[in-house]
Amino acid sequence: MALEVQTQMTGSVWKIVVEVGQQVEEDQELIILESMKMEIPIVAPEDGVVKEILVKENDFVMDMEEVKSEQKSLEELTNELVEKKDKYRQMGGQKYIDAQHNANKLTARERIEMLLDDGSFKEMGILAHHQNMHPTMEGKFTPADGVIAGRGTVDGRPICIVAHDYT
């Protein structure tokens, strides 16, 4: 009997830990999602063999109930996600990026880019933002909660990196 495994959490596919044809046991990790700067394992509900993997690393997945309630096409949802991630990568915006440059400083993203091997950075929690209810935070937008975090490599060696963004 075929069994489809679905996520109960919205996030990005961080790592696929199994391969097609692999024998898996109940509660064995299949995929690791990244959601809100946390790693969430998706596990096998029972013993079996992996017949097909329908996602790839860095794909965005949504809780099926959330998808049903949104009533948007996958293309619309994907486009919204790409736009949101692009906006969040700008952190505080061009005005603040220019201020960093005018002070002869690089932004956190620029420093990370210079440090890590080309193309190796996998960011976690880009869509996170503050949940603070304090009156001083009302109406303020904090992309990635002002923190850039992820994994990458330096000279081929794996590292974790966290940088506070001041834009």
Side-chain angles (χ1 to χ4, degrees):
M1 175 178 88
L3 181 66
E4 187 173 310
V5 178
Q6 295 181 350
T7 177
Q8 300 300 312
M9 173 83 61
T10 298
S12 296
V13 176
W14 184 261
K15 185 176 184 181
I16 299 173
V17 240
V18 294
E19 296 176 352
V20 172
Q22 182 176 335
Q23 182 76 33
V24 294
E25 298 176 0
E26 183 177 356
D27 293 328
Q28 179 178 342
E29 287 186 358
L30 306 172
I31 293 173
I32 299 174
L33 292 183
E34 182 276 318
S35 181
M36 299 302 291
K37 298 187 182 183
M38 295 184 295
E39 292 182 8
I40 313 294
I42 305 300
V43 299
E46 59 187 49
D47 294 353
V49 175
V50 177
K51 297 288 184 193
E52 185 176 15
I53 300 173
L54 302 175
V55 294
K56 61 185 183 305
E57 289 184 5
N58 299 317
D59 278 357
F60 183 74
V61 295
M62 293 180 75
D63 169 13
M64 293 313 292
E65 289 303 314
E66 190 172 331
V67 171
K68 290 175 189 170
S69 70
E70 288 284 332
Q71 297 298 312
K72 293 182 181 179
S73 74
L74 181 58
E75 183 177 355
E76 289 173 311
L77 292 169
T78 301
N79 289 340
E80 285 177 17
L81 177 66
V82 168
E83 287 172 18
K84 188 180 270 191
K85 283 184 171 184
D86 287 344
K87 178 182 176 184
Y88 279 39
R89 280 188 190 97
Q90 291 298 313
M91 299 304 277
Q94 193 60 48
K95 173 175 124 180
Y96 296 103
I97 293 170
D98 291 344
Q100 285 284 98
H101 291 163
N102 290 338
N104 291 320
K105 295 179 182 178
L106 297 174
T107 67
R109 288 193 186 282
E110 291 167 337
R111 292 191 311 271
I112 288 171
E113 188 176 314
M114 288 178 65
L115 174 66
L116 298 179
D117 296 339
D118 289 343
S120 72
F121 185 56
K122 288 190 176 183
E123 187 168 355
M124 293 180 71
I126 190 169
L127 299 178
H129 54 87
H130 81 84
Q131 304 289 319
N132 193 326
M133 301 306 253
H134 193 275
T136 60
M137 292 302 290
E138 189 174 328
K140 292 190 178 177
F141 177 65
T142 59
D145 206 18
V147 178
I148 301 169
R151 297 178 183 167
T153 58
V154 173
D155 294 331
R157 295 183 183 103
I159 66 160
C160 293
I161 191 164
V162 175
H164 292 271
D165 183 79
Y166 296 101
T167 62

